[in-house]
Amino acid sequence: MASATAAGYGWIRSSSAGFGYALDLGYTLALVRGVRPDELLGMAGAEPRGMSAGLGELIERHQERLIEAEYWDETILAGACSVEGEGGDWTLALVLGGDLGSPLLMETLSAGTRAVSHSNNGGKPMHFFHWYEHGELRTMFERPQVRSGSTPDELNAVMREVGLDPTDDEAPGADRKAAVFALTERLTGVRVTDELLALAEFLTGDVPEEPAGSWEGVTVHITDAHGERTFVQLRRDQL
C-alpha cells in the first residue's frame, strides 16, 4: 500500500476490462470499509437488479438501459463487490454515468468508518476526490491546489508521493487520474486492478438520482497565489 503511485495505474488508459468506457462516460468509484455490498446499495436506496459478472457485463447492462430509456433515466446503475483492504473487508461501488458520492450518502456510509471516492462527469474537465472519516468530510478537491474539508492539508505529503502537487500545477504529462487512484489506495489499502474489475462479481441495483433538496447556501474555498487559504460564504439568494 505504502508504495502506490500514479505509475501503478497506467492501465486505466488501456483497460482490457473496459474502464476507458467509464472515463469517457463519467463514473463514480467509492470504497467503504466494513459495509457489505448489499448494505451499501440499501443505504443508497437501490432497487436490486441481480449480479453482473465483471465490468464488461456491467457496461453491457448500462448500454442496454440507455437504449431502453432513450439515453435518459431517473435512476443510475450501480455495481458493488467485496474487496480486501486495510483493516478488513471493503466494498467497492462503481457507478457508470452517474454520481454515488453525494454528501449525505457519503456521510451516512462513512459513519463509524472510512469512505473514499473519486469521479468524473464524462466529457467535461471535472474530476473529484473525497475522503470521509466517521461521517465527516476530511479532504476533497477537484484540482489538487484547491482543497476543502475539515483537514484540507492533511494529505499533502501523500499527494506529492503519488504524483499530485497540492501547491502548483503538475509537471506536463502527469496523469492526475492515475495519481488519484494511487491516493485512494494509500487511504484504503485496496489496489484496484484491471483484472479485479474484469473478474468482480458485482451486486447491482438501480439507484435513484438524488433530489435537489433544500439548502441555504454554499461555501467557496479560495487559495491565493501565495498559498493563503480563505473562504466566502454565499446565501441562496446571492447565487
Side-chain angles (χ1 to χ4, degrees), residues 50-233:
M51 303 296 297
S52 281
L55 177 57
E57 185 171 319
L58 193 67
I59 289 172
E60 290 176 5
R61 294 180 63 175
H62 181 263
Q63 291 174 330
E64 290 170 358
R65 286 165 52 91
L66 288 179
I67 294 171
E68 291 172 0
E70 297 182 351
Y71 294 90
W72 179 259
D73 200 349
E74 293 182 352
T75 62
I76 53 178
L77 179 65
C81 65
S82 294
V83 291
E84 294 183 2
E86 181 180 338
D89 290 336
W90 292 65
T91 285
L92 182 155
L94 180 61
V95 170
L96 300 173
D99 182 18
L100 192 65
S102 69
L104 180 59
L105 177 59
M106 293 298 287
E107 289 170 8
T108 301
L109 290 173
S110 64
T113 188
R114 173 175 290 183
V116 183
S117 72
H118 53 85
S119 62
N120 77 12
N121 62 340
K124 299 178 182 178
M126 295 177 67
H127 305 265
F128 294 97
F129 170 87
H130 295 82
W131 164 36
Y132 283 83
E133 198 86 15
H134 302 295
E136 178 182 65
L137 176 61
R138 298 288 296 276
T139 304
M140 73 85 64
F141 58 82
E142 179 185 356
R143 295 173 54 248
Q145 301 80 23
V146 184
R147 302 171 304 282
S148 60
S150 63
T151 57
D153 299 328
E154 184 170 345
L155 300 179
N156 286 8
V158 180
M159 290 171 69
R160 292 187 179 94
E161 291 174 8
V162 301
L164 297 167
D165 191 331
T167 59
D168 200 356
D169 290 334
E170 292 86 11
D175 191 334
R176 185 184 297 174
K177 181 60 68 177
V180 165
F181 266 87
L183 179 61
T184 301
E185 182 180 342
R186 294 286 189 106
L187 286 167
T188 64
V190 177
R191 181 178 290 274
V192 179
T193 66
D194 203 23
E195 182 180 21
L196 184 155
L197 296 178
L199 301 178
E201 292 292 327
F202 288 106
L203 180 65
T204 67
D206 289 340
V207 179
E209 291 278 12
E210 186 181 29
S214 60
W215 52 279
E216 297 301 324
V218 297
T219 301
V220 180
H221 294 260
I222 301 169
T223 302
D224 65 20
H226 303 288
E228 295 295 325
R229 296 177 55 81
T230 187
F231 63 90
V232 177
Q233 292 181 321

